[in-house]
């Protein structure tokens, strides 16, 4: 590896990092962004509340109006909060699940619907039936789970539009005490203390109506005054500005978004170096890739500081963590073997994980929420879940290498030496994956013993984790006894990842049942995932067909060689 190229790659990655991110530039709104709100079990800046609320309801942090004007998340939230539009009629609520739209009589081609459209549809009947089934402990259908998700969006919008109950006022003495709204602040403080606060709040609402885009200095001055007055009420309880600003900066910087873009540049540089033999860009690609890994690691550390726990407690965090694991494991193997193909297999998969997490906030909810009771043991949470998800990352990396190997069988079956080397690299990754998954399952059983009073209970998540483990352990043993060769192991690496996909995605989005309900979600498209899996299996079938033809060709060629010495004798006899 060339140190100079590695350094240049790192420098290029750093240059990408310091490009100003897409965010609100310094503006009069800055004091408003860092107003503290006690919501969803923690104290967070208004900037985070705005991002999470708009993303949960709309599925995006920007809202395009009918006149093609675009409001960012904070402008949209303030418009909801101060209710300066007819939000009953605005097509703002996301609904993409076609069977539910068809069932309640909505346009199948639309993604966004107004509050009034949804309330006046047949959604209410489905929600009532779903709530009754939940009360009777009956398993819900996919339509019913999706309907409950839409009900949550409607309820969140109802709580947001025109509300004067946002808990901005801190408790005077108890750090865990309940905060109240500005209009309810007389519960804790005297009229002398809260009158200026209420005046500032009303002034802010009036200033907003005069300047809906919030660009004037007057709005900034009012926001700054309101912020100072709230902090002065209870300085010991109100979060420090540095803590609030850290979360605002983290959300604006979007490290996971930057990481996938850096991985993409590293992939392009690596492909360019492999395609043009005269260009030795390998070390530079490693340097850029390493920068992406650093920035993703920074994102994890910062999110842990904000949440006060390991960031692996929901589907969004697990997807980001798996993307990180794929990149980290690949880089370790790359530094050991200098194979080049580890990064080639890892970069697209890490990009895919981070891109999904970055672009689907309504499906993969990025909000930081309090832990459910079963997850509040940080020791077990810190070792069981990361271990399991790192095994998913290992198997995903093996799946990527399997695609590269099958690609060779498909277009260059004569590359025996390269295929052999790639197969050995793939085998090492599979071993790591099996070790991690086995360890994770055992640790999960111990945690279940302490939390639920039993080591194993055939919960769907547990069952599919065991199935995934067996899908890899059996072929690995089969390789040792000679049942499977390089081609068979490549097929196993690709096909058996579907068991991991079921344990990871299917249990959460398709089955939606079991004791691991804290990880469940809706909005995932089984049709899209199923189509991708089907196309992948077609690719495997094409590679298998090509491999069989190649073996047949080799066999016939060898047969001709064996018979060729007898041909002259036969000619003389004839």
């Amino acid at each position: 590896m060339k140190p100079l190229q590695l350094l240049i790659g790192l420098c290029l990655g750093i240059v990408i990092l310091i490009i100003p991110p897409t965010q609100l530039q310094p503006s009069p709104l800055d004091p408003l962004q860092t107003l503290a709100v006690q919501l969803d079990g923690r104290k967070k800046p208004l900037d985070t509340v705005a991002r999470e609320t708009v993303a949960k309801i709309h599925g995006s942090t920007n809202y395009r109006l009918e006149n093609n004007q675009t409001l960012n998340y904070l402008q949209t939230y303030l418009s909801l909060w101060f209710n300066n539009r007819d939000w009953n009629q605005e097509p703002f609520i996301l609904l993409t699940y076609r069977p539910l739209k068809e069932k309640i009589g909505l346009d199948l081609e639309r993604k966004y619907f107004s509050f009034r459209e949804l309330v006046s549809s047949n959604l209410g009947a489905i929600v009532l039936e779903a709530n009754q089934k939940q009360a009777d402990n009956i398993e819900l259908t996919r339509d019913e789970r999706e309907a409950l998700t839409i009900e949550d969006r409607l309820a969140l919008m109802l709580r947001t539009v025109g509300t004067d109950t946002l808990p901005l006022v801190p408790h005077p003495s108890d750090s865990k005490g309940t905060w109240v709204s500005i209009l309810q602040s007389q519960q804790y403080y005297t009229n002398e203390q809260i009158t200026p606060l209420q005046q500032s709040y009303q002034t802010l609402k009036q200033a907003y109506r005069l300047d809906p885009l919030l660009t004037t200095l007057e709005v900034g001055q009012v926001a700054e005054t309101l912020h100072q007055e709230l902090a002065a009420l209870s300085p010991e309880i109100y979060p420090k500005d540095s803590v609030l600003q850290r979360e605002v900066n983290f959300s604006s910087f979007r490290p996971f978004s930057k990481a996938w873009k850096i991985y993409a540049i590293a992939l392009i540089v690596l492909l360019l170096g492999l395609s043009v033999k005269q260009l030795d860009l390998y070390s530079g690609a490693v340097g850029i890739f390493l920068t992406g890994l650093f920035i993703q690691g920074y994102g994890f550390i910062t999110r842990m500081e904000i949440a006060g726990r390991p960031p692996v407690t929901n589907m969004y965090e697990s997807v980001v963590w798996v993307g990180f694991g794929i990149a980290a494991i690949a880089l370790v193997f790359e530094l050991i073997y200098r194979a080049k193909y580890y990064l080639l297999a890892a970069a697209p998969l890490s990009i895919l994980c981070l891109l999904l997490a970055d672009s689907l906030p309504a499906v993969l909810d990025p909000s930081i929420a309090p832990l459910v009771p079963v997850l509040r043991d940080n020791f077990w949470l810190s070792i069981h879940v990361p271990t399991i998800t790192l095994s998913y990352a290992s198997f995903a990396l093996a799946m990527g290498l399997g695609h590269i190997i099958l690609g060779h069988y498909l277009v260059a079956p004569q590359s025996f030496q390269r295929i052999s080397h790639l197969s050995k690299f793939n085998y090492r990754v599979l071993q790591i994956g099996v070790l991690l998954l086995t360890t994770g399952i055992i640790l999960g059983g111990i945690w279940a013993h302490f939390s639920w009073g039993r080591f194993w209970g055939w919960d769907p998540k547990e069952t599919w984790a065991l199935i995934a483990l067996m899908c890899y352990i059996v072929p690995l043993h089969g390789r040792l006894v000679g049942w499977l060769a390089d081609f068979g192991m490549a097929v196993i690496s690709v096909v058996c990842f579907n068991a991991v996909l079921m344990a990871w995605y299917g249990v959460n989005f398709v089955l939606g049942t079991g004791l691991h309900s804290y990880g469940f979600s809706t909005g995932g498209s089984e049709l899209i995932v199923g189509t991708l899996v089907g196309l992948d299996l077609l690719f495997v079938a094409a590679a298998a067909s090509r491999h069989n033809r190649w073996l047949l060709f080799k066999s016939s060629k060898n047969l001709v060689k064996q018979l060729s010495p007898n041909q002259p004798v036969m000619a003389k006899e004839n």
Side-chain angles (χ1 to χ4, degrees):
M1 191 175 295
K2 299 180 179 180
L4 181 59
Q5 276 196 19
L6 183 64
L7 180 61
I8 293 173
L10 285 168
C11 292
L12 179 59
I14 292 171
V15 168
I16 298 168
L17 289 180
I18 62 177
I19 295 175
T22 303
Q23 61 178 351
L24 294 174
Q25 300 298 327
S27 73
L29 283 180
D30 288 350
L32 204 57
Q33 288 177 278
T34 53
L35 285 180
V37 186
Q38 187 194 62
L39 204 62
D40 300 327
R42 72 182 188 96
K43 304 176 185 71
K44 49 189 172 182
L46 183 64
D47 180 88
T48 299
V49 175
R51 284 181 187 271
E52 293 176 352
T53 302
V54 174
K56 285 178 181 178
I57 299 174
H58 190 57
S60 171
T61 53
N62 296 318
Y63 177 50
R64 185 180 294 275
L65 302 174
E66 291 181 357
N67 60 2
N68 288 327
Q69 183 182 18
T70 300
L71 302 180
N72 61 43
Y73 66 92
L74 190 53
Q75 293 167 337
T76 304
Y77 181 80
L78 291 172
S79 180
L80 290 163
W81 185 12
F82 296 137
N83 197 17
N84 73 326
R85 306 181 65 83
D86 186 1
W87 285 103
N88 277 328
Q89 302 290 354
E90 291 285 337
F92 185 65
I93 302 173
L94 178 69
L95 173 52
T96 58
Y97 188 58
R98 293 176 68 90
L100 180 60
K101 286 190 284 187
E102 183 177 10
K103 198 168 186 177
I104 63 179
L106 296 177
D107 186 351
L108 298 181
E109 304 305 319
R110 288 175 57 192
K111 289 176 59 178
Y112 301 106
F113 299 89
S114 69
F115 187 91
R116 179 166 296 175
E117 284 178 305
L118 291 171
V119 170
S120 59
S121 70
N122 296 326
L123 179 67
I126 300 175
V127 169
L128 285 175
E129 184 178 352
N131 287 328
Q132 184 59 49
K133 289 176 71 173
Q134 280 189 325
D136 296 336
N137 200 25
I138 300 174
E139 184 177 343
L140 301 181
T141 65
R142 173 67 187 273
D143 288 354
E144 290 166 340
R145 288 190 284 122
E146 291 284 349
L148 291 178
T149 299
I150 302 304
E151 183 195 28
D152 290 340
R153 291 174 187 165
L154 289 169
L156 180 57
M157 192 165 180
L158 196 62
R159 293 195 303 268
T160 305
V161 174
T163 181
D164 283 321
T165 60
L166 196 64
L168 294 167
V169 179
H171 193 279
S173 58
D174 186 359
S175 61
K176 296 183 180 180
T178 302
W179 290 28
V180 295
S181 69
I182 291 177
L183 298 184
Q184 298 169 325
S185 53
Q186 68 272 12
Q187 295 181 21
Y188 295 150
Y189 301 99
T190 65
N191 288 334
E192 184 180 355
Q193 291 174 300
I194 64 174
T195 297
L197 182 67
Q198 293 176 341
Q199 290 175 348
S200 297
Y201 176 65
Q202 295 300 328
T203 304
L204 178 64
K205 293 178 70 172
Q206 293 171 6
Y208 174 79
R209 291 189 174 94
L210 295 175
D211 180 19
L213 296 181
L214 301 169
T215 58
T216 64
L217 292 176
E218 180 186 356
V219 173
Q221 292 169 356
V222 175
E224 177 64 34
T225 300
L226 181 62
H227 190 172
Q228 292 175 355
E229 290 171 343
L230 286 167
L233 286 175
S234 183
E236 298 298 322
I237 304 300
Y238 205 83
K240 295 180 179 179
D241 287 347
S242 59
V243 174
L244 296 167
Q245 191 63 51
R246 177 185 61 192
E247 186 166 347
V248 172
N249 293 340
F250 172 78
S251 300
S252 299
F253 186 61
R254 298 176 66 191
F256 303 133
S257 175
K258 281 189 171 292
W260 77 255
K261 294 170 185 174
I262 295 173
Y263 289 147
I265 294 173
L267 177 62
I268 293 171
V269 173
L270 183 60
L271 288 173
L272 186 62
L274 292 174
S275 303
V276 183
K277 299 300 181 181
Q278 294 80 2
L279 298 176
D280 185 5
L281 301 176
Y282 169 67
S283 298
V286 172
I288 298 172
F289 194 87
L290 187 59
T291 307
L293 196 63
F294 281 151
I295 193 59
Q296 194 175 356
Y298 156 78
F300 271 114
I301 292 172
T302 306
R303 189 173 171 99
M304 286 175 65
E305 290 176 343
I306 294 169
R309 55 172 172 77
V312 285
T313 59
N314 57 34
M315 197 63 182
Y316 168 85
E317 292 174 344
S318 75
V319 168
V320 176
W321 175 249
V322 166
F324 179 81
I326 293 170
I329 294 170
L331 190 61
V332 170
F333 276 104
E334 195 65 54
L335 294 176
I336 295 173
Y337 294 107
R338 304 288 196 274
K340 299 183 181 179
Y341 289 96
Y342 282 113
L343 293 189
L344 189 62
L349 295 170
S350 294
I351 292 168
L352 178 62
C353 287
L354 295 181
L355 186 59
L356 289 174
D358 188 45
S359 57
L360 298 173
V363 179
L364 303 175
D365 184 7
S367 59
I368 299 174
L371 296 176
V372 297
V374 71
L375 294 180
R376 287 177 187 166
D377 190 330
N378 265 8
F379 172 74
W380 291 109
L381 176 65
S382 302
I383 59 174
H384 164 63
V385 182
T387 303
I388 287 284
T389 45
L390 277 180
S391 74
Y392 295 170
S394 297
F395 292 134
L397 179 58
M399 186 260 294
L401 287 168
H403 277 88
I404 295 175
I405 297 170
L406 292 180
H408 279 77
Y409 278 110
L410 193 60
V411 300
Q414 70 280 3
S415 303
F416 303 114
Q417 187 173 5
R418 182 180 297 173
I419 290 174
S420 177
H421 284 310
L422 286 171
S423 298
K424 290 177 182 177
F425 299 151
N426 188 32
Y427 182 62
R428 297 288 181 265
V429 178
L430 288 173
Q431 287 178 311
I432 295 296
V434 168
L435 176 63
L436 289 171
L437 185 55
T438 304
T439 305
I441 290 175
I442 293 172
L443 291 173
I446 297 172
W447 189 9
H449 173 72
F450 286 109
S451 298
W452 297 324
R454 90 299 187 272
F455 183 83
W456 190 266
W458 299 106
D459 180 75
K461 199 79 169 178
E462 300 168 358
T463 303
W464 275 102
L466 181 60
I467 292 172
L469 180 61
M470 291 298 102
C471 285
Y472 287 99
I473 281 185
V474 172
L476 285 179
H477 283 77
R479 181 184 182 276
L480 291 176
V481 298
W483 295 343
L484 292 173
D486 292 344
F487 180 79
M489 290 306 298
V491 171
I492 288 299
S493 300
V494 176
V495 174
C496 287
F497 188 74
N498 291 318
V500 174
L501 196 63
M502 186 62 195
W504 185 24
Y505 165 85
V507 173
N508 289 46
F509 285 91
V510 181
L511 299 182
T513 185
L515 291 173
H516 294 75
S517 58
Y518 47 81
F520 297 159
S521 186
T522 58
S525 176
E526 293 96 333
L527 179 61
I528 295 175
V529 175
T531 301
L532 293 176
V533 170
L535 292 174
D536 208 26
L537 294 177
L538 286 176
F539 169 75
V540 173
S545 176
R546 180 72 176 89
H547 179 58
N548 288 334
R549 290 200 304 271
W550 172 254
L551 291 178
L552 184 62
F553 171 74
K554 279 183 62 181
S555 299
S556 61
K557 193 173 181 180
N558 291 335
L559 182 61
V560 169
K561 285 182 179 179
Q562 292 174 3
L563 294 176
S564 58
N566 298 325
Q567 293 301 319
V569 176
M570 293 175 64
K572 287 180 181 179
E573 290 177 353
N574 292 333

